[in-house]
Amino acid sequence: MASSSPATTPLLKDELDIVIPTIRNLDFLEMWRPFFQPYHLIIVQDGDPSKTIKVPDGFDYELYNRNDINRILGPRSSCISFKDSACRCFGYMVSKKKYIFTIDDDCFVAKNPSGEDINALEQHIKNLLSPSTPLFFNTLYDPYREGADFVRGYPFSLREGVPTAVSHGLWLNIPDYDAPTQLVKPRERNSRYVDAVLTIPKGTLFPMCGMNLAFDRDLIGPAMYFGLMGDGQPIGRYDDMWAGWCVKVICDHLGLGVKTGLPYIWHSKASNPFVNLKKEYKGIFWQEEIIPFFQSASLPRECTTVQKCYIELSKQVKQKLSKVDPYFDKLADAMVTWIEAWDELNPSAGSAKLANGTA
């Protein structure tokens, strides 16, 4: 007698968009076809809008270039970066799905220690569909994973956890290093596969990388703004960092969780460290003041939605970081413009919704 196989239906097939920023043909999707083909793709083309981006046959996708961004957002398009992968956040804004997974076009399928291909998207979904534990650290890491649980001494009152807003994945091969570290360790490669998922504790910031990232758009989407980077801006390669710092402060305030660890992808290409240094050098100095700002940031009780939190954070950026550089005054204004554009395209978007289900 033939047996049915429920696993053949991809998780969240109709509830998740894959967002990919790119300047080149997307041949890398062939490797991801077994995992990505059932899902809808949103491709954000950076750079010259007259260039044709080729997408392999068989994928369901929509593609936006700079002309589309200008047409859809009008004057508010100024908040979307140009000539920088930060443009990916436009895809977050136009999506109508509950979940987003974003990946860079130089990221390939990694293998686990047994030599099996890693379905990164499936692991992200499992992370998002199970709670987080930011209020008390579990020494067996994610207690909701198969084969794990809460250890002795973990308060029973906290074992329900909180809804998970963000799943932050890692990379084998080329690590996500800044330019100075790249220059002193040009041949370093990450071959360590750590089979763990952690909740980042409340009150702790982290350096978020946008190349292997998933999040619950309903819970935290309006805060996933990747800032003003690239063409015409004094800084680059801090787009995902900025978003991560904002997101973490807001998640802590609203009682949401952020996980990091699995899944791994294979990061295939190291970017030029000298080009990176030119983009990063101001940020390397500025972050010594930016990070204490976020560590001390406090949101009032009246901030009950992501939008309200983000607008309040923009006011604090303007007030406290503009003295570091006039760029932050401009960035604070762009944060407000981003929220206005988000609300215009997503008029029913509200605050954090129901808690997560089970994976």
Side-chain angles (χ1 to χ4, degrees):
M1 186 174 70
S3 60
S4 61
S5 179
T8 57
T9 302
L11 290 169
L12 303 181
K13 176 181 176 294
D14 300 317
E15 298 180 67
L16 182 144
D17 278 336
I18 300 173
V19 174
I20 305 168
T22 193
I23 58 172
R24 58 181 63 87
N25 294 335
L26 294 180
D27 301 327
F28 92 113
L29 285 173
E30 287 294 355
M31 177 178 281
W32 287 102
R33 186 181 291 276
F35 308 127
F36 288 2
Q37 190 163 355
Y39 296 89
H40 179 68
L41 311 182
I42 297 178
I43 300 162
V44 184
Q45 178 180 344
D46 196 17
D48 183 1
S50 67
K51 180 180 178 181
T52 299
I53 299 292
K54 294 181 180 178
V55 181
D57 292 339
F59 285 94
D60 171 36
Y61 72 93
E62 53 193 300
L63 187 150
Y64 297 92
N65 61 30
R66 192 70 206 187
N67 293 338
D68 299 314
I69 294 171
N70 293 341
R71 173 178 53 82
I72 293 168
L73 295 185
R76 293 191 175 114
S77 64
S78 61
C79 72
I80 304 298
S81 298
F82 185 58
K83 294 186 178 179
D84 192 280
S85 64
C87 67
R88 78 177 78 219
C89 61
F90 177 77
Y92 310 159
M93 183 186 287
V94 297
S95 171
K96 301 303 177 189
K97 304 291 179 62
K98 178 174 170 56
Y99 299 99
I100 296 287
F101 170 56
T102 185
I103 187 171
D104 284 3
D105 60 15
D106 63 349
C107 295
F108 301 155
V109 177
K111 293 186 181 293
N112 65 23
S114 301
E116 301 163 325
D117 285 350
I118 298 170
N119 185 346
L121 180 53
E122 181 181 57
Q123 181 63 52
H124 275 301
I125 292 171
K126 289 179 178 179
N127 291 347
L128 289 171
L129 292 184
S130 60
S132 293
T133 54
L135 302 178
F136 200 89
F137 188 79
N138 191 54
T139 50
L140 270 183
Y141 311 124
D142 190 341
Y144 306 104
R145 289 186 69 197
E146 186 176 351
D149 211 322
F150 293 96
V151 297
R152 180 170 57 91
Y154 200 99
F156 282 87
S157 59
L158 297 178
R159 294 190 182 194
E160 286 188 6
V162 304
T164 300
V166 180
S167 172
H168 178 258
L170 300 175
W171 344 269
L172 294 172
N173 196 35
I174 306 292
D176 186 31
Y177 285 160
D178 54 37
T181 309
Q182 280 184 291
L183 287 166
V184 298
K185 294 182 172 181
R187 294 183 177 85
E188 183 156 296
R189 300 293 182 265
N190 180 35
S191 59
R192 295 178 64 245
Y193 179 96
V194 180
D195 186 9
V197 178
L198 314 178
T199 294
I200 300 173
K202 183 177 181 179
T204 300
L205 297 175
F206 75 112
M208 189 175 83
C209 173
M211 75 172 92
N212 176 23
L213 178 73
F215 60 92
D216 186 321
R217 188 174 173 276
D218 286 353
L219 290 181
I220 201 62
M224 275 289 179
Y225 176 47
F226 276 44
L228 290 175
M229 303 283 153
D231 193 51
Q233 307 302 334
I235 186 175
R237 285 173 56 82
Y238 273 84
D239 51 334
D240 42 9
M241 300 293 147
W242 181 262
W245 296 326
C246 293
V247 160
K248 189 57 168 62
V249 168
I250 293 173
C251 281
D252 286 351
H253 175 74
L254 294 178
L256 303 171
V258 177
K259 293 183 179 181
T260 188
L262 299 181
Y264 284 92
I265 49 86
W266 180 270
H267 188 205
S268 66
K269 186 177 66 177
S271 48
N272 186 310
F274 296 100
V275 173
N276 289 347
L277 186 59
K278 187 177 180 180
K279 294 178 179 179
E280 291 175 0
Y281 79 95
K282 287 192 175 181
I284 291 170
F285 290 103
W286 290 349
Q287 70 184 14
E288 301 306 318
E289 297 191 58
I290 296 171
I291 291 172
F293 161 76
F294 280 108
Q295 287 174 325
S296 62
S298 177
L299 299 173
R301 188 174 298 176
E302 304 81 63
C303 291
T304 55
T305 69
V306 176
Q307 284 93 331
K308 288 179 180 178
C309 290
Y310 204 72
I311 293 296
E312 172 61 28
L313 209 47
S314 75
K315 294 175 184 176
Q316 296 183 24
V317 168
K318 184 179 281 284
Q319 179 186 358
K320 297 181 180 179
L321 290 181
S322 291
K323 62 182 175 58
V324 176
D325 191 272
Y327 163 77
F328 290 98
D329 196 60
K330 185 178 179 182
L331 177 56
D333 291 340
M335 293 168 71
V336 175
T337 302
W338 161 265
I339 292 296
E340 291 172 350
W342 182 283
D343 285 345
E344 183 179 355
L345 293 184
N346 302 276
S348 61
S351 60
K353 298 184 180 180
L354 296 175
N356 306 57
T358 55

